[in-house]
Amino acid sequence: MTVHPPRLRRGLPPVRSQPFERLPHTGRTMVLTFDDGPDPEYTPGILRTLRRYDVRAMFFVCGEMADIHPDLLRALADDGHVIGNHTWSHPLIPQLAPSEIRGELGRTSEVIEQISGLPPLWYRAPFGAWNRHSFEIGAELGMEPLAWTVDTLDWTEPGTGTIVSRVLDGAGPGVVVLSHDAGGDRSQSVTALRHYLPRLLDDGYRITVPRR
Ligand SMILES: [Zn+2]
């Protein structure tokens, strides 16, 4: 396990007042993101599809899930996916005291670094509910906030076809897509990826992850 010493870490990002909602550069690129895992029921199926097309995605994991499934977190890292911080227990951040927000984000960054060898550089607020404290604490922990452009609403289990349509209809340069690989029955999300990913690639999109 490689843990980078502090001197090798990048400088802290600025304190944002809102999250990024698109990939911060242009071109026919898109980002696929999967929240709430890792989950042994659904994450492996998503990994298999991404591997088949040699595509990298972002996984915003919950610390408590990563802690229970370290093997899955390592599999994400081994495949070159970007692991983001989605808090420890998926609370509504605006209802927390700053010390609790620091605990939720800090503990999750620690477990990600312990298991994958690298601290996360991105975080995402559960339910997209950010506040000023979360931007300050995220920046202190060396992370940038990433929201999304297209919400598949896959957690409502609208049917595989509907999830596929939402992704394809919302596709565009710099678009960030939100799906889930845990938190309920996510079999529709797993199946939908097998359909929309090859279509996006056929349409000339490069599926990528942000670098900074
Ligand atoms: Zn979530």
Side-chain angles (χ1 to χ4, degrees):
M1 182 173 65
T2 315
V3 175
H4 288 243
R7 68 192 155 79
L8 292 181
R9 286 187 186 160
R10 296 162 199 240
L12 294 180
V15 176
R16 305 290 178 183
S17 55
Q18 55 187 30
F20 291 96
E21 291 178 350
R22 310 177 73 88
L23 191 62
H25 56 75
T26 54
R28 213 165 162 78
T29 55
M30 283 178 60
V31 179
L32 303 181
T33 68
F34 299 92
D35 286 13
D36 300 356
D39 184 311
E41 193 84 29
Y42 307 108
T43 308
I46 288 171
L47 282 180
R48 264 196 301 279
T49 303
L50 296 173
R51 213 174 284 145
R52 183 181 311 150
Y53 294 98
D54 194 24
V55 158
R56 246 59 64 195
M58 297 181 83
F59 289 80
F60 285 90
V61 304
C62 287
E64 64 183 4
M65 297 293 281
D67 194 40
I68 301 168
H69 306 292
D71 50 327
L72 284 175
L73 201 80
R74 270 188 289 272
L76 295 177
D78 288 349
D79 280 9
H81 301 300
V82 170
I83 299 170
N85 182 330
H86 196 42
T87 73
W88 188 267
S89 64
H90 210 272
L92 256 176
I93 279 181
Q95 294 181 350
L96 302 184
S99 63
E100 294 173 309
I101 300 171
R102 189 171 279 103
E104 283 276 342
L105 289 174
R107 220 176 139 201
T108 302
S109 283
E110 275 170 30
V111 82
I112 291 172
E113 180 165 7
Q114 279 163 14
I115 297 168
S116 76
L118 289 171
L121 299 177
W122 296 88
Y123 72 107
R124 174 176 283 168
F127 314 102
W130 316 80
N131 67 3
R132 185 172 54 83
H133 295 304
S134 71
F135 293 125
E136 290 169 357
I137 293 164
E140 275 171 31
L141 292 169
M143 300 185 291
E144 291 275 27
L146 184 67
W148 55 85
T149 326
V150 170
D151 189 349
T152 64
L153 297 170
D154 58 337
W155 58 273
T156 65
E157 300 175 38
T160 300
T162 301
I163 298 173
V164 171
S165 305
R166 283 177 182 154
V167 174
L168 297 178
D169 292 349
V175 161
V176 177
V177 177
L178 166 64
S179 306
H180 297 81
D181 61 336
D185 183 345
R186 299 293 172 251
S187 46
Q188 293 179 2
S189 317
V190 177
T191 306
L193 176 66
R194 290 207 296 267
H195 294 284
Y196 65 72
L197 179 53
R199 298 269 299 273
L200 291 175
L201 295 170
D202 282 350
D203 287 347
Y205 285 104
R206 199 165 60 85
I207 309 301
T208 186
V209 288
R211 300 280 178 213
R212 71 164 181 86

